[in-house]
Amino acid sequence: MTVLVTDKIRRTAKLLCALGRGIPIVSSSWITQSKSAKTVLDPTHHLIEDTETERKYGFSLRKSIQTASKTPLLQTYKVHATKCCLPPPDQLKEIVECAGGSWLKQMPKKKADDVVIISCREDKDVLNKAIKAGFNVQDKEFLLTGLLKQQLNFKLYALSTVFD
């Protein structure tokens, strides 16, 4: 896709993929105005305005799109997600790849600085194994909020406690 049309910012796989690639996210008025002008208008001048969501997550859509279009957020990372994560691993794979990251179908045997494991309490056995092995294990918010802000916060979303 080259433009995403929506009525508000929602953390859907499509929106996060568009954001990860630095693609303009616009309102339907862009289509209407393009039709009236009888030409496709520059979508970057018609970005969706959703100040409530931007305030809630502490980001600027315009800045995030500009940042992502220059440097993909996950370009130096390999990511694996455990099976019970939400969004599900197949959607996370798409989001990760759109943000320039590499998808790992299986958890690696050895930890590496460029590997991130996305997990959740529901996957406690695999989660505990990953934590004990020294992997960088993160909650889904690491990716979801990280993509909105175009910043990775390794401390805030780290899962470093073994769960019973």
Side-chain angles (χ1 to χ4, degrees), residues 7-139:
D7 62 336
K8 67 179 286 184
I9 298 170
R10 290 182 192 83
R11 297 187 321 164
T12 63
K14 284 183 183 178
L15 187 131
L16 293 168
C17 283
L19 193 50
R21 292 180 56 205
I23 290 171
I25 300 167
V26 301
S27 68
S28 58
S29 68
W30 171 71
I31 296 170
T32 308
Q33 291 175 19
S34 291
K35 210 173 186 179
S36 294
K38 295 186 173 143
T39 187
V40 178
L41 299 173
D42 182 348
T44 60
H45 299 301
H46 298 271
L47 296 181
I48 187 89
E49 290 186 27
D50 186 350
T51 52
E52 186 179 320
T53 303
E54 288 180 82
R55 196 172 320 130
K56 178 181 177 181
Y57 291 105
F59 79 107
S60 159
L61 181 64
R62 183 171 300 281
K63 285 181 185 174
S64 292
I65 289 171
Q66 287 171 345
T67 301
S69 68
K70 292 177 187 142
T71 308
L73 184 66
L74 299 174
Q75 72 180 358
T76 60
Y77 294 97
K78 296 173 187 146
V79 181
H80 171 74
T82 58
K83 68 179 180 179
C84 291
C85 287
L86 291 174
D90 61 325
Q91 288 181 15
L92 288 173
K93 175 185 188 287
E94 191 176 4
I95 293 166
V96 165
E97 289 175 345
C98 285
S102 298
W103 182 254
L104 299 173
K105 191 172 181 174
Q106 296 179 319
M107 188 160 28
K109 304 272 187 245
K110 292 182 181 178
K111 75 173 192 132
D113 291 342
D114 63 345
V115 171
V116 177
I117 309 296
I118 305 297
S119 193
C120 57
R121 285 177 176 250
E122 291 77 14
D123 287 324
K124 69 179 181 186
D125 291 342
V126 179
L127 168 61
N128 289 339
K129 186 178 172 183
I131 291 169
K132 287 177 184 172
F135 281 101
N136 179 356
V137 185
Q138 299 286 331
D139 180 79

